[in-house]
Short mmCIF file of all heavy atoms in Angstrom, two decimals:
data_model
loop_
_atom_site.label_atom_id
_atom_site.label_comp_id
_atom_site.label_asym_id
_atom_site.label_seq_id
_atom_site.Cartn_x
_atom_site.Cartn_y
_atom_site.Cartn_z
N ASP A 1 -37.32 11.63 30.72
CA ASP A 1 -37.61 11.97 32.04
C ASP A 1 -39.00 11.58 32.43
O ASP A 1 -39.80 11.15 31.61
CB ASP A 1 -37.26 13.45 32.29
CG ASP A 1 -38.11 14.43 31.71
OD1 ASP A 1 -39.06 14.09 30.90
OD2 ASP A 1 -38.07 15.59 32.02
N GLN A 2 -39.37 11.74 33.68
CA GLN A 2 -40.63 11.30 34.19
C GLN A 2 -41.76 12.12 33.62
O GLN A 2 -42.84 11.60 33.35
CB GLN A 2 -40.64 11.38 35.68
CG GLN A 2 -41.86 10.82 36.30
CD GLN A 2 -41.76 10.73 37.86
OE1 GLN A 2 -40.86 11.15 38.45
NE2 GLN A 2 -42.83 10.21 38.43
N GLU A 3 -41.62 13.35 33.41
CA GLU A 3 -42.69 14.24 32.86
C GLU A 3 -43.03 13.84 31.43
O GLU A 3 -44.18 13.77 31.07
CB GLU A 3 -42.23 15.73 32.89
CG GLU A 3 -43.37 16.67 32.50
CD GLU A 3 -42.89 18.14 32.68
OE1 GLU A 3 -42.25 18.46 33.61
OE2 GLU A 3 -43.32 18.92 31.81
N THR A 4 -42.04 13.52 30.68
CA THR A 4 -42.25 13.06 29.31
C THR A 4 -42.94 11.71 29.30
O THR A 4 -43.90 11.48 28.49
CB THR A 4 -40.97 12.92 28.51
OG1 THR A 4 -40.24 14.16 28.54
CG2 THR A 4 -41.13 12.49 27.03
N ALA A 5 -42.65 10.83 30.22
CA ALA A 5 -43.26 9.57 30.29
C ALA A 5 -44.73 9.73 30.68
O ALA A 5 -45.62 9.01 30.14
CB ALA A 5 -42.54 8.70 31.31
N ILE A 6 -45.03 10.60 31.57
CA ILE A 6 -46.41 10.89 31.94
C ILE A 6 -47.23 11.43 30.83
O ILE A 6 -48.37 11.00 30.56
CB ILE A 6 -46.47 11.82 33.18
CG1 ILE A 6 -45.90 11.15 34.43
CG2 ILE A 6 -47.90 12.38 33.41
CD1 ILE A 6 -45.71 12.06 35.66
N LYS A 7 -46.66 12.40 30.01
CA LYS A 7 -47.39 12.97 28.90
C LYS A 7 -47.61 11.94 27.91
O LYS A 7 -48.70 11.83 27.22
CB LYS A 7 -46.54 14.08 28.33
CG LYS A 7 -46.63 15.35 29.15
CD LYS A 7 -45.87 16.55 28.61
CE LYS A 7 -45.90 17.76 29.45
NZ LYS A 7 -45.17 18.85 28.88
N THR A 8 -46.67 11.05 27.63
CA THR A 8 -46.80 9.87 26.66
C THR A 8 -47.87 9.01 27.04
O THR A 8 -48.73 8.63 26.26
CB THR A 8 -45.47 9.19 26.50
OG1 THR A 8 -44.50 10.08 26.11
CG2 THR A 8 -45.63 8.04 25.50
N LYS A 9 -47.93 8.67 28.36
CA LYS A 9 -48.95 7.81 28.87
C LYS A 9 -50.37 8.38 28.72
O LYS A 9 -51.34 7.77 28.40
CB LYS A 9 -48.71 7.47 30.38
CG LYS A 9 -49.57 6.43 31.00
CD LYS A 9 -49.30 5.09 30.37
CE LYS A 9 -49.99 3.99 31.19
NZ LYS A 9 -49.80 2.72 30.65
N GLN A 10 -50.52 9.70 28.99
CA GLN A 10 -51.71 10.41 28.85
C GLN A 10 -52.17 10.37 27.36
O GLN A 10 -53.37 10.23 27.16
CB GLN A 10 -51.54 11.79 29.34
CG GLN A 10 -51.48 11.95 30.92
CD GLN A 10 -51.15 13.35 31.31
OE1 GLN A 10 -50.62 14.14 30.65
NE2 GLN A 10 -51.45 13.61 32.59
N LYS A 11 -51.26 10.66 26.50
CA LYS A 11 -51.62 10.59 25.04
C LYS A 11 -52.12 9.27 24.65
O LYS A 11 -53.10 9.12 23.84
CB LYS A 11 -50.41 10.96 24.19
CG LYS A 11 -50.11 12.48 24.23
CD LYS A 11 -48.88 12.79 23.37
CE LYS A 11 -48.53 14.24 23.48
NZ LYS A 11 -47.41 14.56 22.67
N GLN A 12 -51.46 8.18 25.12
CA GLN A 12 -51.91 6.81 24.81
C GLN A 12 -53.24 6.55 25.40
O GLN A 12 -54.08 5.88 24.70
CB GLN A 12 -50.86 5.80 25.40
CG GLN A 12 -49.56 5.82 24.77
CD GLN A 12 -48.52 4.96 25.37
OE1 GLN A 12 -48.65 4.64 26.65
NE2 GLN A 12 -47.48 4.62 24.70
N THR A 13 -53.54 6.99 26.55
CA THR A 13 -54.85 6.81 27.21
C THR A 13 -55.93 7.52 26.41
O THR A 13 -57.03 6.96 26.12
CB THR A 13 -54.81 7.34 28.65
OG1 THR A 13 -53.78 6.68 29.42
CG2 THR A 13 -56.12 7.16 29.33
N VAL A 14 -55.69 8.71 25.96
CA VAL A 14 -56.66 9.47 25.11
C VAL A 14 -56.92 8.74 23.83
O VAL A 14 -58.07 8.59 23.39
CB VAL A 14 -56.19 10.91 24.92
CG1 VAL A 14 -57.01 11.63 23.86
CG2 VAL A 14 -56.19 11.66 26.25
N ARG A 15 -55.89 8.28 23.21
CA ARG A 15 -56.00 7.53 21.94
C ARG A 15 -56.86 6.31 22.10
O ARG A 15 -57.76 5.95 21.33
CB ARG A 15 -54.68 7.17 21.37
CG ARG A 15 -54.09 8.31 20.50
CD ARG A 15 -52.90 7.82 19.65
NE ARG A 15 -51.90 7.28 20.58
CZ ARG A 15 -50.65 7.86 20.82
NH1 ARG A 15 -50.37 8.99 20.07
NH2 ARG A 15 -49.81 7.30 21.56
N LEU A 16 -56.56 5.54 23.19
CA LEU A 16 -57.31 4.28 23.45
C LEU A 16 -58.79 4.64 23.79
O LEU A 16 -59.70 3.95 23.30
CB LEU A 16 -56.66 3.49 24.66
CG LEU A 16 -57.30 2.18 24.97
CD1 LEU A 16 -57.23 1.28 23.76
CD2 LEU A 16 -56.58 1.55 26.16
N GLU A 17 -59.01 5.63 24.56
CA GLU A 17 -60.35 6.11 24.94
C GLU A 17 -61.14 6.46 23.65
O GLU A 17 -62.24 6.03 23.49
CB GLU A 17 -60.25 7.30 25.86
CG GLU A 17 -61.57 7.83 26.31
CD GLU A 17 -61.39 9.00 27.16
OE1 GLU A 17 -61.01 8.85 28.34
OE2 GLU A 17 -61.53 10.14 26.71
N LYS A 18 -60.54 7.20 22.74
CA LYS A 18 -61.21 7.53 21.47
C LYS A 18 -61.50 6.31 20.60
O LYS A 18 -62.62 6.21 20.05
CB LYS A 18 -60.30 8.51 20.67
CG LYS A 18 -60.30 9.87 21.22
CD LYS A 18 -59.46 10.83 20.37
CE LYS A 18 -59.36 12.22 20.94
NZ LYS A 18 -58.57 13.07 20.14
N LYS A 19 -60.50 5.34 20.67
CA LYS A 19 -60.78 4.10 19.86
C LYS A 19 -61.97 3.33 20.49
O LYS A 19 -62.85 2.86 19.73
CB LYS A 19 -59.53 3.25 19.83
CG LYS A 19 -59.61 2.04 18.99
CD LYS A 19 -58.32 1.29 18.90
CE LYS A 19 -58.45 0.14 17.96
NZ LYS A 19 -57.18 -0.59 17.78
N PHE A 20 -61.99 3.21 21.73
CA PHE A 20 -63.13 2.45 22.44
C PHE A 20 -64.43 3.20 22.12
O PHE A 20 -65.40 2.58 21.79
CB PHE A 20 -62.94 2.48 23.95
CG PHE A 20 -62.11 1.24 24.43
CD1 PHE A 20 -61.42 1.35 25.54
CD2 PHE A 20 -62.06 0.08 23.78
CE1 PHE A 20 -60.66 0.33 26.11
CE2 PHE A 20 -61.26 -0.97 24.16
CZ PHE A 20 -60.67 -0.88 25.37
N LEU A 21 -64.46 4.51 22.31
CA LEU A 21 -65.71 5.28 22.08
C LEU A 21 -66.15 5.13 20.68
O LEU A 21 -67.33 5.01 20.33
CB LEU A 21 -65.54 6.74 22.45
CG LEU A 21 -65.46 7.08 23.91
CD1 LEU A 21 -65.18 8.56 24.12
CD2 LEU A 21 -66.78 6.67 24.55
N ASN A 22 -65.23 5.18 19.69
CA ASN A 22 -65.59 4.99 18.28
C ASN A 22 -66.24 3.60 18.00
O ASN A 22 -67.28 3.55 17.44
CB ASN A 22 -64.33 5.14 17.40
CG ASN A 22 -64.64 5.17 15.97
OD1 ASN A 22 -65.69 4.75 15.52
ND2 ASN A 22 -63.73 5.69 15.18
N CYS A 23 -65.64 2.60 18.53
CA CYS A 23 -66.14 1.16 18.35
C CYS A 23 -67.47 1.05 19.03
O CYS A 23 -68.43 0.48 18.46
CB CYS A 23 -65.18 0.17 18.89
SG CYS A 23 -63.67 0.03 17.92
N ILE A 24 -67.63 1.56 20.26
CA ILE A 24 -68.83 1.41 21.03
C ILE A 24 -69.97 2.28 20.35
O ILE A 24 -71.09 1.80 20.12
CB ILE A 24 -68.67 1.82 22.47
CG1 ILE A 24 -67.76 0.82 23.16
CG2 ILE A 24 -70.06 1.95 23.16
CD1 ILE A 24 -67.25 1.32 24.50
N GLY A 25 -69.57 3.48 19.93
CA GLY A 25 -70.56 4.36 19.28
C GLY A 25 -71.08 3.75 17.99
O GLY A 25 -72.30 3.81 17.66
N ARG A 26 -70.20 3.15 17.24
CA ARG A 26 -70.54 2.47 15.95
C ARG A 26 -71.47 1.34 16.21
O ARG A 26 -72.47 1.16 15.53
CB ARG A 26 -69.36 2.04 15.23
CG ARG A 26 -69.55 1.67 13.82
CD ARG A 26 -68.32 1.41 12.92
NE ARG A 26 -67.16 1.99 13.53
CZ ARG A 26 -66.02 1.28 13.78
NH1 ARG A 26 -65.94 -0.02 13.45
NH2 ARG A 26 -64.90 1.88 14.30
N ALA A 27 -71.19 0.50 17.19
CA ALA A 27 -71.96 -0.68 17.51
C ALA A 27 -73.40 -0.19 18.03
O ALA A 27 -74.40 -0.76 17.60
CB ALA A 27 -71.32 -1.55 18.55
N VAL A 28 -73.38 0.74 18.85
CA VAL A 28 -74.69 1.33 19.35
C VAL A 28 -75.46 1.83 18.16
O VAL A 28 -76.74 1.52 18.12
CB VAL A 28 -74.50 2.42 20.40
CG1 VAL A 28 -75.78 3.13 20.68
CG2 VAL A 28 -73.92 1.86 21.73
N ALA A 29 -74.99 2.50 17.29
CA ALA A 29 -75.68 3.12 16.11
C ALA A 29 -76.05 1.97 15.13
O ALA A 29 -77.24 1.90 14.68
CB ALA A 29 -74.86 4.06 15.36
N ASP A 30 -75.15 1.05 14.82
CA ASP A 30 -75.42 0.02 13.87
C ASP A 30 -76.53 -0.93 14.37
O ASP A 30 -77.43 -1.39 13.57
CB ASP A 30 -74.18 -0.92 13.61
CG ASP A 30 -73.11 -0.20 12.79
OD1 ASP A 30 -73.44 0.90 12.28
OD2 ASP A 30 -71.96 -0.70 12.66
N PHE A 31 -76.70 -1.24 15.67
CA PHE A 31 -77.65 -2.19 16.16
C PHE A 31 -78.84 -1.46 16.91
O PHE A 31 -79.63 -2.11 17.47
CB PHE A 31 -76.94 -3.17 17.08
CG PHE A 31 -75.98 -4.04 16.36
CD1 PHE A 31 -74.59 -3.81 16.45
CD2 PHE A 31 -76.42 -5.10 15.54
CE1 PHE A 31 -73.71 -4.59 15.76
CE2 PHE A 31 -75.47 -5.83 14.87
CZ PHE A 31 -74.13 -5.60 14.93
N GLY A 32 -78.81 -0.14 16.84
CA GLY A 32 -79.88 0.62 17.47
C GLY A 32 -80.10 0.30 18.95
O GLY A 32 -81.19 0.18 19.47
N MET A 33 -78.93 0.11 19.69
CA MET A 33 -79.00 -0.29 21.04
C MET A 33 -79.48 0.76 22.04
O MET A 33 -80.12 0.48 23.02
CB MET A 33 -77.61 -0.76 21.51
CG MET A 33 -77.23 -2.06 20.84
SD MET A 33 -75.73 -2.68 21.62
CE MET A 33 -74.45 -2.03 20.53
N ILE A 34 -79.21 2.05 21.75
CA ILE A 34 -79.58 3.10 22.60
C ILE A 34 -80.14 4.26 21.79
O ILE A 34 -79.67 4.66 20.81
CB ILE A 34 -78.34 3.70 23.38
CG1 ILE A 34 -77.62 2.58 24.26
CG2 ILE A 34 -78.76 4.86 24.30
CD1 ILE A 34 -76.31 3.11 24.82
N LYS A 35 -81.39 4.59 22.22
CA LYS A 35 -82.04 5.64 21.45
C LYS A 35 -82.19 6.91 22.46
O LYS A 35 -82.09 6.72 23.68
CB LYS A 35 -83.43 5.17 21.04
CG LYS A 35 -83.28 4.08 20.03
CD LYS A 35 -84.58 3.72 19.40
CE LYS A 35 -84.46 2.58 18.38
NZ LYS A 35 -83.59 1.52 18.61
N ALA A 36 -82.53 8.04 21.93
CA ALA A 36 -82.69 9.26 22.71
C ALA A 36 -83.66 8.98 23.86
O ALA A 36 -84.69 8.32 23.67
CB ALA A 36 -83.17 10.41 21.85
N ASN A 37 -83.30 9.51 24.99
CA ASN A 37 -84.16 9.45 26.22
C ASN A 37 -84.25 8.05 26.85
O ASN A 37 -85.13 7.81 27.67
CB ASN A 37 -85.55 10.06 25.97
CG ASN A 37 -85.48 11.50 25.60
OD1 ASN A 37 -84.67 12.26 26.15
ND2 ASN A 37 -86.15 11.90 24.55
N ASP A 38 -83.46 7.11 26.31
CA ASP A 38 -83.41 5.77 26.96
C ASP A 38 -82.83 5.87 28.29
O ASP A 38 -81.94 6.69 28.56
CB ASP A 38 -82.60 4.83 26.14
CG ASP A 38 -83.34 4.16 24.94
OD1 ASP A 38 -84.54 4.43 24.79
OD2 ASP A 38 -82.70 3.37 24.25
N LYS A 39 -83.24 5.04 29.22
CA LYS A 39 -82.65 4.91 30.52
C LYS A 39 -82.01 3.50 30.52
O LYS A 39 -82.60 2.55 30.11
CB LYS A 39 -83.72 5.01 31.64
CG LYS A 39 -84.34 6.39 31.63
CD LYS A 39 -84.86 6.71 32.98
CE LYS A 39 -85.62 8.08 32.99
NZ LYS A 39 -84.75 9.18 32.79
N ILE A 40 -80.73 3.50 31.08
CA ILE A 40 -79.97 2.28 31.02
C ILE A 40 -79.61 1.90 32.36
O ILE A 40 -78.99 2.69 33.14
CB ILE A 40 -78.67 2.51 30.16
CG1 ILE A 40 -79.04 2.93 28.74
CG2 ILE A 40 -77.85 1.26 30.19
CD1 ILE A 40 -77.86 3.39 27.94
N LEU A 41 -79.88 0.70 32.75
CA LEU A 41 -79.46 0.16 34.09
C LEU A 41 -78.25 -0.69 33.77
O LEU A 41 -78.20 -1.59 33.00
CB LEU A 41 -80.60 -0.71 34.71
CG LEU A 41 -80.23 -1.44 35.94
CD1 LEU A 41 -79.95 -0.44 37.09
CD2 LEU A 41 -81.32 -2.39 36.34
N VAL A 42 -77.16 -0.35 34.56
CA VAL A 42 -75.88 -1.13 34.30
C VAL A 42 -75.53 -1.84 35.65
O VAL A 42 -75.47 -1.15 36.65
CB VAL A 42 -74.77 -0.07 33.95
CG1 VAL A 42 -73.47 -0.87 33.77
CG2 VAL A 42 -75.12 0.64 32.64
N CYS A 43 -75.27 -3.16 35.51
CA CYS A 43 -74.84 -3.91 36.67
C CYS A 43 -73.41 -4.12 36.52
O CYS A 43 -72.92 -4.62 35.49
CB CYS A 43 -75.59 -5.24 36.78
SG CYS A 43 -77.36 -5.05 37.01
N VAL A 44 -72.62 -3.68 37.51
CA VAL A 44 -71.16 -3.74 37.46
C VAL A 44 -70.61 -4.66 38.46
O VAL A 44 -70.91 -4.52 39.65
CB VAL A 44 -70.58 -2.32 37.67
CG1 VAL A 44 -69.06 -2.34 37.60
CG2 VAL A 44 -71.15 -1.29 36.66
N SER A 45 -69.82 -5.65 37.95
CA SER A 45 -69.20 -6.63 38.85
C SER A 45 -67.93 -6.14 39.53
O SER A 45 -67.55 -6.66 40.62
CB SER A 45 -68.87 -7.90 38.10
OG SER A 45 -67.73 -7.61 37.19
N GLY A 46 -67.34 -5.09 38.95
CA GLY A 46 -66.06 -4.62 39.50
C GLY A 46 -64.88 -5.17 38.71
O GLY A 46 -63.77 -4.66 38.92
N GLY A 47 -65.10 -5.97 37.73
CA GLY A 47 -64.04 -6.51 36.88
C GLY A 47 -63.70 -5.48 35.86
O GLY A 47 -64.36 -4.38 35.65
N LYS A 48 -62.53 -5.72 35.18
CA LYS A 48 -61.97 -4.78 34.21
C LYS A 48 -62.99 -4.50 33.10
O LYS A 48 -63.14 -3.33 32.69
CB LYS A 48 -60.69 -5.39 33.62
CG LYS A 48 -59.58 -5.48 34.52
CD LYS A 48 -58.38 -6.13 33.85
CE LYS A 48 -57.33 -6.52 34.77
NZ LYS A 48 -56.26 -7.25 34.17
N ASP A 49 -63.72 -5.48 32.65
CA ASP A 49 -64.63 -5.25 31.52
C ASP A 49 -65.82 -4.45 31.91
O ASP A 49 -66.23 -3.49 31.22
CB ASP A 49 -65.12 -6.61 30.87
CG ASP A 49 -65.71 -7.60 31.94
OD1 ASP A 49 -65.49 -7.34 33.15
OD2 ASP A 49 -66.34 -8.52 31.47
N SER A 50 -66.36 -4.70 33.06
CA SER A 50 -67.59 -3.93 33.42
C SER A 50 -67.19 -2.47 33.87
O SER A 50 -67.98 -1.55 33.62
CB SER A 50 -68.35 -4.65 34.58
OG SER A 50 -67.58 -4.83 35.74
N ILE A 51 -66.07 -2.28 34.46
CA ILE A 51 -65.55 -1.00 34.80
C ILE A 51 -65.30 -0.15 33.55
O ILE A 51 -65.77 1.01 33.42
CB ILE A 51 -64.31 -0.97 35.70
CG1 ILE A 51 -64.60 -1.66 37.05
CG2 ILE A 51 -63.67 0.40 35.85
CD1 ILE A 51 -65.58 -0.90 37.88
N THR A 52 -64.74 -0.77 32.54
CA THR A 52 -64.46 -0.12 31.30
C THR A 52 -65.84 0.24 30.63
O THR A 52 -65.99 1.35 30.11
CB THR A 52 -63.62 -1.04 30.28
OG1 THR A 52 -62.44 -1.33 30.90
CG2 THR A 52 -63.43 -0.42 28.98
N MET A 53 -66.79 -0.71 30.70
CA MET A 53 -68.10 -0.43 30.11
C MET A 53 -68.74 0.78 30.75
O MET A 53 -69.25 1.64 29.97
CB MET A 53 -68.97 -1.63 30.23
CG MET A 53 -70.37 -1.43 29.65
SD MET A 53 -71.51 -2.79 29.90
CE MET A 53 -71.65 -2.79 31.67
N ILE A 54 -68.73 0.82 32.09
CA ILE A 54 -69.44 1.98 32.69
C ILE A 54 -68.71 3.32 32.44
O ILE A 54 -69.34 4.35 32.20
CB ILE A 54 -69.63 1.74 34.27
CG1 ILE A 54 -70.57 2.75 34.84
CG2 ILE A 54 -68.34 1.80 35.01
CD1 ILE A 54 -71.99 2.58 34.43
N LEU A 55 -67.43 3.26 32.39
CA LEU A 55 -66.69 4.50 32.04
C LEU A 55 -66.94 4.94 30.67
O LEU A 55 -67.19 6.18 30.35
CB LEU A 55 -65.15 4.26 32.23
CG LEU A 55 -64.66 4.05 33.65
CD1 LEU A 55 -63.23 3.63 33.68
CD2 LEU A 55 -64.88 5.31 34.44
N MET A 56 -67.04 4.04 29.65
CA MET A 56 -67.30 4.37 28.28
C MET A 56 -68.73 4.91 28.11
O MET A 56 -69.00 5.83 27.42
CB MET A 56 -67.06 3.17 27.38
CG MET A 56 -65.63 2.77 27.22
SD MET A 56 -64.57 4.06 26.56
CE MET A 56 -63.62 4.51 27.98
N LEU A 57 -69.68 4.20 28.89
CA LEU A 57 -71.08 4.71 28.79
C LEU A 57 -71.18 6.11 29.39
O LEU A 57 -71.96 7.00 28.85
CB LEU A 57 -72.05 3.76 29.54
CG LEU A 57 -72.35 2.42 28.80
CD1 LEU A 57 -73.17 1.51 29.73
CD2 LEU A 57 -73.15 2.70 27.58
N ASP A 58 -70.39 6.38 30.47
CA ASP A 58 -70.48 7.70 31.08
C ASP A 58 -69.85 8.77 30.03
O ASP A 58 -70.46 9.87 29.91
CB ASP A 58 -69.67 7.73 32.37
CG ASP A 58 -69.87 9.03 33.10
OD1 ASP A 58 -70.99 9.47 33.24
OD2 ASP A 58 -68.86 9.61 33.56
N LEU A 59 -68.81 8.40 29.33
CA LEU A 59 -68.24 9.33 28.33
C LEU A 59 -69.25 9.53 27.17
O LEU A 59 -69.43 10.67 26.74
CB LEU A 59 -66.95 8.80 27.79
CG LEU A 59 -65.75 8.88 28.73
CD1 LEU A 59 -64.53 8.16 28.18
CD2 LEU A 59 -65.39 10.32 29.04
N LEU A 60 -69.88 8.50 26.78
CA LEU A 60 -70.93 8.65 25.72
C LEU A 60 -72.11 9.50 26.20
O LEU A 60 -72.60 10.35 25.50
CB LEU A 60 -71.49 7.27 25.26
CG LEU A 60 -70.58 6.46 24.40
CD1 LEU A 60 -71.22 5.08 24.20
CD2 LEU A 60 -70.35 7.10 23.09
N ARG A 61 -72.46 9.36 27.52
CA ARG A 61 -73.54 10.18 28.02
C ARG A 61 -73.20 11.62 28.02
O ARG A 61 -74.02 12.45 27.67
CB ARG A 61 -73.85 9.66 29.47
CG ARG A 61 -74.95 10.42 30.20
CD ARG A 61 -74.97 10.18 31.68
NE ARG A 61 -73.80 10.45 32.34
CZ ARG A 61 -73.39 11.67 32.81
NH1 ARG A 61 -74.19 12.74 32.63
NH2 ARG A 61 -72.25 11.91 33.47
N LYS A 62 -71.97 11.96 28.48
CA LYS A 62 -71.51 13.33 28.49
C LYS A 62 -71.56 13.94 27.06
O LYS A 62 -71.83 15.10 26.88
CB LYS A 62 -70.12 13.40 29.09
CG LYS A 62 -70.16 13.13 30.59
CD LYS A 62 -68.76 13.11 31.12
CE LYS A 62 -68.78 12.77 32.59
NZ LYS A 62 -67.45 12.64 33.17
N ARG A 63 -71.16 13.09 26.12
CA ARG A 63 -71.08 13.66 24.74
C ARG A 63 -72.48 13.75 24.11
O ARG A 63 -72.78 14.73 23.38
CB ARG A 63 -70.23 12.77 23.82
CG ARG A 63 -68.74 12.87 24.19
CD ARG A 63 -67.95 12.06 23.29
NE ARG A 63 -66.57 12.19 23.71
CZ ARG A 63 -65.53 11.76 22.95
NH1 ARG A 63 -65.77 11.17 21.85
NH2 ARG A 63 -64.31 12.01 23.38
N ALA A 64 -73.35 12.75 24.35
CA ALA A 64 -74.66 12.78 23.71
C ALA A 64 -75.68 13.58 24.37
O ALA A 64 -76.61 14.08 23.78
CB ALA A 64 -75.16 11.26 23.66
N LYS A 65 -75.56 13.82 25.72
CA LYS A 65 -76.43 14.59 26.49
C LYS A 65 -77.93 14.03 26.52
O LYS A 65 -78.69 14.49 27.28
CB LYS A 65 -76.49 16.06 26.03
CG LYS A 65 -75.16 16.74 26.00
CD LYS A 65 -74.76 17.19 27.38
CE LYS A 65 -73.51 17.96 27.30
NZ LYS A 65 -72.80 18.05 28.56
N ALA A 66 -78.20 13.06 25.70
CA ALA A 66 -79.60 12.58 25.63
C ALA A 66 -79.68 11.20 26.29
O ALA A 66 -80.78 10.71 26.45
CB ALA A 66 -80.07 12.51 24.18
N VAL A 67 -78.54 10.61 26.71
CA VAL A 67 -78.62 9.33 27.30
C VAL A 67 -78.36 9.47 28.80
O VAL A 67 -77.49 10.21 29.25
CB VAL A 67 -77.44 8.49 26.70
CG1 VAL A 67 -77.41 7.11 27.37
CG2 VAL A 67 -77.67 8.29 25.19
N SER A 68 -79.22 8.83 29.61
CA SER A 68 -78.97 8.78 31.02
C SER A 68 -78.85 7.31 31.45
O SER A 68 -79.32 6.42 30.77
CB SER A 68 -80.06 9.46 31.75
OG SER A 68 -81.28 8.81 31.56
N TYR A 69 -78.23 7.09 32.66
CA TYR A 69 -78.10 5.76 33.05
C TYR A 69 -78.15 5.76 34.63
O TYR A 69 -78.04 6.73 35.24
CB TYR A 69 -76.78 5.07 32.64
CG TYR A 69 -75.53 5.65 33.21
CD1 TYR A 69 -75.02 5.11 34.44
CD2 TYR A 69 -74.88 6.74 32.73
CE1 TYR A 69 -73.94 5.67 34.95
CE2 TYR A 69 -73.75 7.26 33.30
CZ TYR A 69 -73.26 6.72 34.42
OH TYR A 69 -72.14 7.25 35.02
N THR A 70 -78.51 4.57 35.10
CA THR A 70 -78.55 4.35 36.55
C THR A 70 -77.70 3.22 36.86
O THR A 70 -77.57 2.26 36.10
CB THR A 70 -79.93 4.07 36.99
OG1 THR A 70 -80.82 5.11 36.60
CG2 THR A 70 -80.10 3.90 38.50
N HIS A 71 -76.99 3.20 37.97
CA HIS A 71 -76.16 2.00 38.39
C HIS A 71 -76.46 1.61 39.79
O HIS A 71 -76.83 2.46 40.61
CB HIS A 71 -74.72 2.32 38.10
CG HIS A 71 -74.12 3.44 38.94
ND1 HIS A 71 -73.68 3.22 40.18
CD2 HIS A 71 -73.99 4.72 38.68
CE1 HIS A 71 -73.31 4.36 40.72
NE2 HIS A 71 -73.47 5.26 39.81
N LEU A 72 -76.27 0.34 40.03
CA LEU A 72 -76.39 -0.19 41.41
C LEU A 72 -74.98 -0.54 41.91
O LEU A 72 -74.17 -1.04 41.05
CB LEU A 72 -77.28 -1.42 41.39
CG LEU A 72 -78.62 -1.24 40.87
CD1 LEU A 72 -79.31 -2.61 40.81
CD2 LEU A 72 -79.45 -0.32 41.77
N THR A 73 -74.68 -0.37 43.20
CA THR A 73 -73.39 -0.70 43.67
C THR A 73 -73.61 -1.67 44.86
O THR A 73 -74.63 -1.81 45.42
CB THR A 73 -72.59 0.52 44.13
OG1 THR A 73 -73.35 1.21 45.06
CG2 THR A 73 -72.23 1.38 42.99
#
């Protein structure tokens, strides 16, 4: 039914989000890209890749509490 399909889609979204965050977090740590109290300026074109990037950075910001960012629209 439709409710089951929605729950399945939500679970898939959560799994994909966790996978992205894990990969991004590992890359940030491995290459020292973001340090505590860094300010990050993000330019977003509106494409799938830049929208995904800003959403993932926002999730990382919420989890880390030490990262802030600014964006231009």
Side-chain angles (χ1 to χ4, degrees):
D1 71 351
Q2 188 173 1
E3 188 174 321
T4 304
I6 291 171
K7 286 181 181 180
T8 301
K9 187 71 168 176
Q10 288 172 338
K11 286 180 184 179
Q12 290 172 339
T13 301
V14 168
R15 277 193 297 250
L16 183 59
E17 182 180 283
K18 286 181 181 181
K19 185 174 182 176
F20 274 153
L21 284 176
N22 186 344
C23 290
I24 292 168
R26 192 170 343 126
V28 167
D30 288 351
F31 296 101
M33 291 188 265
I34 302 172
K35 297 189 178 39
N37 301 315
D38 276 357
K39 298 207 183 291
I40 301 167
L41 175 66
V42 178
C43 299
V44 180
S45 68
K48 294 175 190 175
D49 54 344
S50 62
I51 296 298
T52 300
M53 179 185 64
I54 192 70
L55 291 173
M56 293 298 109
L57 285 173
D58 190 47
L59 287 171
L60 284 173
R61 178 190 60 83
K62 288 175 183 174
R63 289 181 179 193
K65 301 283 187 200
V67 176
S68 64
Y69 70 91
T70 302
H71 62 85
L72 302 172
T73 56

